[in-house]
Amino acid sequence: MTRRHFAAVRQAVLAPVLPVLLVVVWYLASRDSTPSSAYPYPAAIVRSGLRLLTDGELLQALATSLIRVLLGFGIALGLGLGLSLLMGRLRVVREMFDPLIESVRPIAPIALVPLAILWLGTGNASAVSIIAYAAFFPIVLNVTAAVRDLDPSLVDVARTFGVSELTILRQVVLPGVLPGVVVGARLGMGLGWASVIAAELAVGSDVSASVGIGQLMLTFYQYDADPNPIVVCMIAVGLLGFALDMLMRQTGRALAPWHR
């Protein structure tokens, strides 16, 4: 077994140790306590999870939320890449947009929920716009930094050979900034998925829209007052977010295998 394979096996063995230990401690601590509707219990969470999986409600909600996140992420990636290349290559564009971006970036996505409802109504458009907002800024910041850090001698050599600016952009700049694009896309996807609960608060009153994981959690809170299915939804969000991050990592390694 090579060192790389040994490290992979060790990581696979050690990764679940802490979560399992926390669950065991939680179970032992709650075993002798009196069940209460205000607090989740491991056994009740397992029963709720099995019920939600059996009737397909959880998987359908996750699929709906995932589609919204992918749409919002796609919009953020397209806009972010275009603006980042301009900001990184043209100083005047960077001086125009950088103060605006740095002023808007600290505003949390959940603060946009009222405006999204006013402008776009209750529906998928509001949720997608909030997710796109959350994913946009890490993409812009990382890709702009990667463009500015690109070795200028690479561009100068291409110009010396009479290469057009479009070819330089396609064959020199884009491959050079690809690691930054991968990092920005990974962070953007993570923030987009983390904001899906807040985004779906804007969809809650639209009965014509498909129910996402955020709406499902809100339903359990408003009508059932049962924390156990809410915790099931939280666990599902965390696991799917972890899977998306692993997918982004593998995609980055495939697109930029020279980058460590």
Side-chain angles (χ1 to χ4, degrees):
M1 180 181 294
T2 64
R3 175 180 292 183
R4 183 176 179 181
H5 290 141
F6 176 77
V9 172
R10 183 182 62 184
Q11 182 179 7
V13 172
L14 293 179
V17 170
L18 183 58
V20 171
L21 181 61
L22 291 175
V23 171
V24 171
V25 172
W26 183 14
Y27 172 77
L28 293 176
S30 62
R31 185 175 55 179
D32 297 330
S33 59
T34 303
S36 172
S37 59
Y39 299 98
Y41 290 86
I45 291 173
V46 172
R47 289 194 296 269
S48 297
L50 292 176
R51 178 180 60 82
L52 292 174
L53 287 174
T54 302
D55 60 21
E57 193 174 9
L58 179 62
L59 296 179
Q60 184 177 358
L62 287 173
T64 299
S65 296
L66 181 59
I67 291 174
R68 289 169 178 157
V69 170
L70 292 178
L71 288 174
F73 173 76
I75 294 172
L77 185 63
L79 296 177
L81 285 179
L83 181 59
S84 300
L85 292 174
L86 291 175
M87 290 178 62
R89 298 287 293 165
L90 302 176
R91 182 176 180 180
V92 62
V93 177
R94 183 169 64 253
E95 291 177 346
M96 287 175 57
F97 281 92
D98 188 66
L100 177 62
I101 290 176
E102 291 300 330
S103 299
V104 177
R105 183 170 62 91
I107 301 175
I110 194 171
L112 298 183
V113 171
L115 291 178
I117 295 175
L118 286 174
W119 293 341
L120 301 174
T122 55
N124 289 321
S126 297
V128 171
S129 65
I130 294 172
I131 294 169
Y133 169 86
F136 175 77
F137 295 104
I139 295 174
V140 170
L141 294 179
N142 281 276
V143 178
T144 301
V147 175
R148 295 188 63 188
D149 292 340
L150 185 67
D151 189 352
S153 62
L154 299 175
V155 179
D156 294 338
V157 170
R159 286 174 177 165
T160 301
F161 285 96
V163 179
S164 66
E165 289 296 324
L166 182 60
T167 304
I168 291 175
L169 178 64
R170 187 177 66 253
Q171 297 187 1
V172 178
V173 176
L174 288 180
V177 303
L178 190 56
V181 174
V182 171
V183 173
R186 181 184 170 194
L187 293 175
M189 174 63 79
L191 287 178
W193 182 248
S195 66
V196 68
I197 305 300
E200 289 182 340
L201 292 177
V203 196
S205 59
D206 189 349
V207 295
S208 63
S210 300
V211 176
I213 193 68
Q215 296 157 281
L216 189 62
M217 294 173 65
L218 187 62
T219 300
F220 291 136
Y221 165 74
Q222 289 181 330
Y223 299 103
D224 297 337
D226 186 358
N228 297 294
I230 296 177
V231 174
V232 172
C233 294
M234 293 171 59
I235 294 173
V237 168
L239 292 177
L240 186 53
F242 177 75
L244 287 173
D245 185 69
M246 293 298 295
L247 179 61
M248 296 297 293
R249 288 187 188 184
Q250 296 301 323
T251 303
R253 291 170 182 168
L255 293 177
W258 66 86
H259 179 67
R260 291 291 182 181

